[in-house]
Amino acid sequence: MPDATSPLQHLGVLTLGRFDPADPVRGHESAIWLFEQAEELGFDSAWLRQRHLETAISSPLSVIAAASRSTKRIALGTAVIPLGGENPFRLAEDFHTVDLLTHGRLNPGFSVGTPMNWEYYKEAMYPASWESEDLTHARAERLLQLLRDPLVYQDEIGGELSTRTIQPHSAGLVDRVWYGAGSTRSATWGARQGLNLLTSNVVRSHDGDLDFARNMAAVIRAYLDAHPDPASARISGGLVIIPTDGATPSQLAKYRAYVEERDARAAKAWGPGQNLFQRDFIGTSAEIVERLQNDPGFALVTDTAFALPFPFDDEDYAQILGDIRHHVGPALGWTPAE
């Protein structure tokens, strides 16, 4: 089980894949370039979020399949695909297919509940059934069943057994599935399913507590308490860090303005779910590492998927990745991949 003294085992980076709607190709190719850079720098994983009806990647598995052609080692993940916008049967087929194309490097991550922007696309996606669509863990259990056992149909016809299974099937994929949880209840469910845990910079307030770090630590501890083998559990921390060691003065001004604008949302709980937002970590690598080492939630993670700020440019990402790889990661005990 990880603790504050445990070295970081796996270092990853996450992007939304933002793009200009007048030039969407460039944004998608930029995401692939980012994955290539992360592999070259020795990162262990690179992740895509999914967004619908936004100028960000809506089809992460398609981009991952493309990125697998120009990368060879790095794990490629989704953090996360909201299941409310997916058919579990079709998603299982896509997960198996893309895992084969990546030669076993896919790390599929998903979440349940009401997806972001759901009110704008629910009728377009489910014109006759959106009111009755099941957005609970039952939907996830259908997906997991199809990933664990590809059998879909079996019957005896004329004395012969007729069997239909999901094709293709990638053995070992189910062991690399991640579940995005932001509450103790949801984390407990994921642990009992034997899934890896994805956390992010959003967490639910428990018992009115507005301290993000304490709430995130509670989520991770609930996961570990319910996990059948906590010593083998993988837990990823998905916050935004912006190291400034190699930043130019203009980059530093941009970064600080971005963080200052976002800081206001961390002052209270939001929405019916009473969600809390974590403040972004900005500063020198040494300052960021000190904050991470004093964070009770981060002390329990084995992996990271550090999220890149979505409005930044490729040169900003290159600087941030370089500082993470050369300063932040090693100070957390991480060793770059060869």
Side-chain angles (χ1 to χ4, degrees):
M1 184 182 299
D3 58 41
T5 62
S6 301
L8 184 66
Q9 297 175 23
H10 303 98
L11 180 62
V13 62
L14 180 152
T15 182
L16 279 170
R18 284 281 182 176
F19 57 84
D20 182 343
D23 184 17
V25 172
R26 184 177 182 278
H28 285 71
E29 290 180 341
S30 177
I32 295 173
W33 167 85
L34 183 66
F35 282 15
E36 295 166 351
Q37 293 299 301
E39 178 169 88
E40 186 174 330
L41 288 169
F43 282 69
D44 300 298
S45 62
W47 303 75
L48 288 175
R49 280 202 176 127
Q50 183 184 53
R51 287 288 190 269
H52 292 303
L53 301 183
E54 295 184 25
T55 53
I57 288 172
S58 60
S59 183
L61 288 174
S62 300
V63 178
I64 286 174
S68 72
R69 302 298 89 187
S70 56
T71 58
K72 296 181 179 179
R73 172 196 55 80
I74 195 166
L76 305 172
T78 60
V80 290
I81 294 177
L83 284 191
E86 304 290 335
N87 178 293
F89 178 86
R90 278 291 299 116
L91 186 59
E93 289 182 324
D94 286 347
F95 278 160
H96 283 296
T97 299
V98 175
D99 193 47
L100 291 172
L101 292 174
T102 62
H103 298 280
R105 289 188 284 142
L106 180 64
N107 279 243
F110 68 84
S111 64
V112 301
T114 304
M116 184 180 293
N117 295 327
W118 172 250
E119 64 270 31
Y120 303 119
Y121 69 81
K122 60 187 179 183
E123 293 186 61
M125 182 167 287
Y126 305 112
S129 64
W130 67 266
E131 291 182 294
S132 60
E133 286 295 325
D134 186 351
L135 305 182
T136 70
H137 286 125
R139 197 182 194 92
E141 289 164 4
R142 288 165 53 202
L143 172 66
L144 292 173
Q145 176 60 32
L146 293 167
L147 293 178
R148 290 176 176 138
D149 182 358
L151 177 66
V152 174
Y153 171 85
Q154 188 174 56
D155 199 3
E156 188 171 334
I157 302 176
E160 295 185 5
L161 193 64
S162 176
T163 302
R164 295 289 186 273
T165 60
I166 280 186
Q167 295 295 337
H169 179 68
S170 182
L173 171 63
V174 72
D175 298 326
R176 285 177 267 116
V177 176
W178 295 76
Y179 176 64
S183 70
T184 54
R185 174 180 173 273
S186 197
T188 297
W189 177 88
R192 289 172 177 166
Q193 296 292 324
L195 304 176
N196 303 309
L197 177 66
L198 283 168
T199 67
S200 71
N201 59 348
V202 182
V203 70
R204 179 164 293 187
S205 170
H206 299 92
D207 300 322
D209 186 356
L210 298 183
D211 184 277
F212 181 96
R214 282 198 299 266
N215 280 282
M216 183 57 72
V219 168
I220 296 174
R221 290 194 184 97
Y223 170 82
L224 289 169
D225 288 344
H227 199 284
D229 182 16
S232 67
R234 290 184 66 182
I235 306 161
S236 177
L239 64 161
V240 175
I241 67 168
I242 308 176
T244 58
D245 305 67
T248 65
S250 61
Q251 285 177 319
L252 188 57
K254 178 200 294 188
Y255 299 168
R256 285 175 174 165
Y258 171 82
V259 171
E260 183 178 351
E261 181 181 357
R262 282 163 52 94
D263 263 355
R265 67 180 188 165
K268 64 177 183 178
W270 294 82
Q274 291 294 284
N275 290 324
L276 302 172
F277 290 88
Q278 186 175 37
R279 284 186 165 88
D280 301 332
F281 285 29
I282 184 172
T284 65
S285 293
E287 291 170 337
I288 288 174
V289 168
E290 183 178 5
R291 286 183 64 185
L292 291 173
Q293 290 175 333
N294 290 321
D295 186 299
F298 193 83
L300 298 172
V301 307
T302 60
D303 299 41
T304 65
F306 287 132
L308 294 172
F310 58 81
F312 289 5
D313 300 318
D314 287 350
E315 55 265 32
D316 303 326
Y317 293 152
Q319 176 263 312
I320 292 170
L321 286 180
D323 282 354
I324 292 174
R325 182 260 183 258
H326 294 291
H327 305 299
V328 176
L332 295 172
W334 169 75
T335 302
E338 294 294 335

